[in-house]
PDB file of all heavy atoms in Angstrom:
ATOM      1  N   VAL A 236      13.928 -31.883  -3.248  1.00  0.00           N
ATOM      2  CA  VAL A 236      14.201 -33.303  -3.435  1.00  0.00           C
ATOM      3  C   VAL A 236      15.644 -33.500  -3.900  1.00  0.00           C
ATOM      4  O   VAL A 236      16.426 -34.191  -3.225  1.00  0.00           O
ATOM      5  CB  VAL A 236      13.231 -33.982  -4.430  1.00  0.00           C
ATOM      6  CG1 VAL A 236      13.556 -35.474  -4.543  1.00  0.00           C
ATOM      7  CG2 VAL A 236      11.769 -33.801  -4.008  1.00  0.00           C
ATOM      8  N   TYR A 237      16.025 -32.888  -5.013  1.00  0.00           N
ATOM      9  CA  TYR A 237      17.360 -33.126  -5.560  1.00  0.00           C
ATOM     10  C   TYR A 237      18.453 -32.565  -4.668  1.00  0.00           C
ATOM     11  O   TYR A 237      19.488 -33.207  -4.454  1.00  0.00           O
ATOM     12  CB  TYR A 237      17.447 -32.565  -6.982  1.00  0.00           C
ATOM     13  CG  TYR A 237      16.649 -33.397  -7.944  1.00  0.00           C
ATOM     14  CD1 TYR A 237      15.366 -33.027  -8.319  1.00  0.00           C
ATOM     15  CD2 TYR A 237      17.149 -34.599  -8.427  1.00  0.00           C
ATOM     16  CE1 TYR A 237      14.610 -33.811  -9.170  1.00  0.00           C
ATOM     17  CE2 TYR A 237      16.408 -35.402  -9.274  1.00  0.00           C
ATOM     18  CZ  TYR A 237      15.143 -35.011  -9.644  1.00  0.00           C
ATOM     19  OH  TYR A 237      14.392 -35.805 -10.471  1.00  0.00           O
ATOM     20  N   ARG A 238      18.236 -31.376  -4.144  1.00  0.00           N
ATOM     21  CA  ARG A 238      19.246 -30.792  -3.263  1.00  0.00           C
ATOM     22  C   ARG A 238      19.456 -31.678  -2.035  1.00  0.00           C
ATOM     23  O   ARG A 238      20.592 -31.936  -1.607  1.00  0.00           O
ATOM     24  CB  ARG A 238      18.811 -29.388  -2.839  1.00  0.00           C
ATOM     25  CG  ARG A 238      19.819 -28.669  -1.957  1.00  0.00           C
ATOM     26  CD  ARG A 238      19.406 -27.231  -1.710  1.00  0.00           C
ATOM     27  NE  ARG A 238      18.199 -27.119  -0.901  1.00  0.00           N
ATOM     28  CZ  ARG A 238      17.000 -26.738  -1.365  1.00  0.00           C
ATOM     29  NH1 ARG A 238      16.846 -26.458  -2.646  1.00  0.00           N
ATOM     30  NH2 ARG A 238      15.955 -26.651  -0.571  1.00  0.00           N
ATOM     31  N   GLN A 239      18.372 -32.178  -1.456  1.00  0.00           N
ATOM     32  CA  GLN A 239      18.475 -33.011  -0.260  1.00  0.00           C
ATOM     33  C   GLN A 239      19.074 -34.385  -0.574  1.00  0.00           C
ATOM     34  O   GLN A 239      19.821 -34.943   0.233  1.00  0.00           O
ATOM     35  CB  GLN A 239      17.091 -33.166   0.384  1.00  0.00           C
ATOM     36  CG  GLN A 239      16.555 -31.906   1.032  1.00  0.00           C
ATOM     37  CD  GLN A 239      15.905 -30.950   0.036  1.00  0.00           C
ATOM     38  OE1 GLN A 239      15.614 -31.322  -1.096  1.00  0.00           O
ATOM     39  NE2 GLN A 239      15.669 -29.716   0.476  1.00  0.00           N
ATOM     40  N   VAL A 240      18.770 -34.925  -1.759  1.00  0.00           N
ATOM     41  CA  VAL A 240      19.344 -36.219  -2.132  1.00  0.00           C
ATOM     42  C   VAL A 240      20.848 -36.088  -2.361  1.00  0.00           C
ATOM     43  O   VAL A 240      21.627 -36.978  -1.977  1.00  0.00           O
ATOM     44  CB  VAL A 240      18.637 -36.788  -3.377  1.00  0.00           C
ATOM     45  CG1 VAL A 240      19.389 -38.011  -3.912  1.00  0.00           C
ATOM     46  CG2 VAL A 240      17.201 -37.176  -3.052  1.00  0.00           C
ATOM     47  N   VAL A 241      21.279 -34.987  -2.965  1.00  0.00           N
ATOM     48  CA  VAL A 241      22.718 -34.751  -3.123  1.00  0.00           C
ATOM     49  C   VAL A 241      23.392 -34.723  -1.754  1.00  0.00           C
ATOM     50  O   VAL A 241      24.465 -35.320  -1.554  1.00  0.00           O
ATOM     51  CB  VAL A 241      22.971 -33.435  -3.892  1.00  0.00           C
ATOM     52  CG1 VAL A 241      24.446 -33.036  -3.785  1.00  0.00           C
ATOM     53  CG2 VAL A 241      22.574 -33.580  -5.347  1.00  0.00           C
ATOM     54  N   GLU A 242      22.768 -34.051  -0.786  1.00  0.00           N
ATOM     55  CA  GLU A 242      23.332 -34.016   0.572  1.00  0.00           C
ATOM     56  C   GLU A 242      23.349 -35.406   1.192  1.00  0.00           C
ATOM     57  O   GLU A 242      24.300 -35.766   1.909  1.00  0.00           O
ATOM     58  CB  GLU A 242      22.506 -33.057   1.432  1.00  0.00           C
ATOM     59  CG  GLU A 242      22.647 -31.593   1.012  1.00  0.00           C
ATOM     60  CD  GLU A 242      21.695 -30.671   1.753  1.00  0.00           C
ATOM     61  OE1 GLU A 242      20.748 -31.164   2.404  1.00  0.00           O
ATOM     62  OE2 GLU A 242      21.889 -29.448   1.671  1.00  0.00           O
ATOM     63  N   LEU A 243      22.315 -36.207   0.928  1.00  0.00           N
ATOM     64  CA  LEU A 243      22.297 -37.598   1.406  1.00  0.00           C
ATOM     65  C   LEU A 243      23.488 -38.361   0.858  1.00  0.00           C
ATOM     66  O   LEU A 243      24.192 -39.077   1.605  1.00  0.00           O
ATOM     67  CB  LEU A 243      20.985 -38.261   0.978  1.00  0.00           C
ATOM     68  CG  LEU A 243      20.910 -39.790   1.072  1.00  0.00           C
ATOM     69  CD1 LEU A 243      20.977 -40.239   2.526  1.00  0.00           C
ATOM     70  CD2 LEU A 243      19.621 -40.304   0.417  1.00  0.00           C
ATOM     71  N   LEU A 244      23.752 -38.214  -0.429  1.00  0.00           N
ATOM     72  CA  LEU A 244      24.865 -38.923  -1.052  1.00  0.00           C
ATOM     73  C   LEU A 244      26.213 -38.431  -0.546  1.00  0.00           C
ATOM     74  O   LEU A 244      27.206 -39.167  -0.592  1.00  0.00           O
ATOM     75  CB  LEU A 244      24.784 -38.776  -2.571  1.00  0.00           C
ATOM     76  CG  LEU A 244      23.579 -39.460  -3.232  1.00  0.00           C
ATOM     77  CD1 LEU A 244      23.511 -39.125  -4.716  1.00  0.00           C
ATOM     78  CD2 LEU A 244      23.654 -40.977  -3.039  1.00  0.00           C
ATOM     79  N   HIS A 245      26.262 -37.198  -0.063  1.00  0.00           N
ATOM     80  CA  HIS A 245      27.496 -36.652   0.500  1.00  0.00           C
ATOM     81  C   HIS A 245      27.618 -36.912   1.994  1.00  0.00           C
ATOM     82  O   HIS A 245      28.531 -36.400   2.642  1.00  0.00           O
ATOM     83  CB  HIS A 245      27.581 -35.146   0.220  1.00  0.00           C
ATOM     84  CG  HIS A 245      27.857 -34.826  -1.219  1.00  0.00           C
ATOM     85  ND1 HIS A 245      27.720 -33.555  -1.743  1.00  0.00           N
ATOM     86  CD2 HIS A 245      28.259 -35.614  -2.245  1.00  0.00           C
ATOM     87  CE1 HIS A 245      28.026 -33.576  -3.036  1.00  0.00           C
ATOM     88  NE2 HIS A 245      28.360 -34.819  -3.361  1.00  0.00           N
ATOM     89  N   GLY A 246      26.687 -37.687   2.548  1.00  0.00           N
ATOM     90  CA  GLY A 246      26.780 -38.075   3.946  1.00  0.00           C
ATOM     91  C   GLY A 246      26.315 -37.037   4.940  1.00  0.00           C
ATOM     92  O   GLY A 246      26.608 -37.164   6.139  1.00  0.00           O
ATOM     93  N   VAL A 247      25.587 -36.047   4.493  1.00  0.00           N
ATOM     94  CA  VAL A 247      25.121 -35.006   5.407  1.00  0.00           C
ATOM     95  C   VAL A 247      24.109 -35.557   6.394  1.00  0.00           C
ATOM     96  O   VAL A 247      24.099 -35.185   7.567  1.00  0.00           O
ATOM     97  CB  VAL A 247      24.519 -33.823   4.622  1.00  0.00           C
ATOM     98  CG1 VAL A 247      23.922 -32.778   5.560  1.00  0.00           C
ATOM     99  CG2 VAL A 247      25.576 -33.193   3.724  1.00  0.00           C
ATOM    100  N   ARG A 248      23.239 -36.461   5.938  1.00  0.00           N
ATOM    101  CA  ARG A 248      22.238 -37.076   6.817  1.00  0.00           C
ATOM    102  C   ARG A 248      21.836 -38.422   6.221  1.00  0.00           C
ATOM    103  O   ARG A 248      22.130 -38.699   5.048  1.00  0.00           O
ATOM    104  CB  ARG A 248      21.018 -36.172   7.009  1.00  0.00           C
ATOM    105  CG  ARG A 248      20.230 -35.915   5.741  1.00  0.00           C
ATOM    106  CD  ARG A 248      19.112 -34.899   5.953  1.00  0.00           C
ATOM    107  NE  ARG A 248      19.655 -33.587   6.269  1.00  0.00           N
ATOM    108  CZ  ARG A 248      20.060 -32.720   5.335  1.00  0.00           C
ATOM    109  NH1 ARG A 248      20.019 -33.050   4.057  1.00  0.00           N
ATOM    110  NH2 ARG A 248      20.521 -31.549   5.670  1.00  0.00           N
ATOM    111  N   ASP A 249      21.144 -39.243   7.018  1.00  0.00           N
ATOM    112  CA  ASP A 249      20.723 -40.553   6.524  1.00  0.00           C
ATOM    113  C   ASP A 249      19.417 -40.431   5.741  1.00  0.00           C
ATOM    114  O   ASP A 249      18.819 -39.353   5.646  1.00  0.00           O
ATOM    115  CB  ASP A 249      20.597 -41.563   7.661  1.00  0.00           C
ATOM    116  CG  ASP A 249      19.552 -41.157   8.714  1.00  0.00           C
ATOM    117  OD1 ASP A 249      18.630 -40.361   8.386  1.00  0.00           O
ATOM    118  OD2 ASP A 249      19.649 -41.626   9.852  1.00  0.00           O
ATOM    119  N   GLU A 250      18.973 -41.567   5.190  1.00  0.00           N
ATOM    120  CA  GLU A 250      17.797 -41.526   4.315  1.00  0.00           C
ATOM    121  C   GLU A 250      16.531 -41.167   5.072  1.00  0.00           C
ATOM    122  O   GLU A 250      15.695 -40.401   4.571  1.00  0.00           O
ATOM    123  CB  GLU A 250      17.611 -42.862   3.604  1.00  0.00           C
ATOM    124  CG  GLU A 250      16.431 -42.841   2.627  1.00  0.00           C
ATOM    125  CD  GLU A 250      16.280 -44.107   1.832  1.00  0.00           C
ATOM    126  OE1 GLU A 250      17.303 -44.618   1.326  1.00  0.00           O
ATOM    127  OE2 GLU A 250      15.130 -44.582   1.718  1.00  0.00           O
ATOM    128  N   VAL A 251      16.353 -41.709   6.268  1.00  0.00           N
ATOM    129  CA  VAL A 251      15.142 -41.400   7.038  1.00  0.00           C
ATOM    130  C   VAL A 251      15.051 -39.900   7.311  1.00  0.00           C
ATOM    131  O   VAL A 251      14.005 -39.267   7.100  1.00  0.00           O
ATOM    132  CB  VAL A 251      15.115 -42.198   8.358  1.00  0.00           C
ATOM    133  CG1 VAL A 251      13.957 -41.726   9.241  1.00  0.00           C
ATOM    134  CG2 VAL A 251      14.993 -43.686   8.086  1.00  0.00           C
ATOM    135  N   SER A 252      16.158 -39.315   7.747  1.00  0.00           N
ATOM    136  CA  SER A 252      16.181 -37.880   8.016  1.00  0.00           C
ATOM    137  C   SER A 252      15.993 -37.075   6.736  1.00  0.00           C
ATOM    138  O   SER A 252      15.371 -36.012   6.754  1.00  0.00           O
ATOM    139  CB  SER A 252      17.498 -37.487   8.694  1.00  0.00           C
ATOM    140  OG  SER A 252      17.649 -38.161   9.929  1.00  0.00           O
TER     141      SER A 252
END
Side-chain angles (χ1 to χ4, degrees):
V236 182
Y237 289 98
R238 182 173 67 252
Q239 290 82 14
V240 170
V241 168
E242 292 173 346
L243 165 66
L244 294 174
H245 288 167
V247 175
R248 64 186 66 84
D249 61 23
E250 183 176 315
V251 172
S252 299

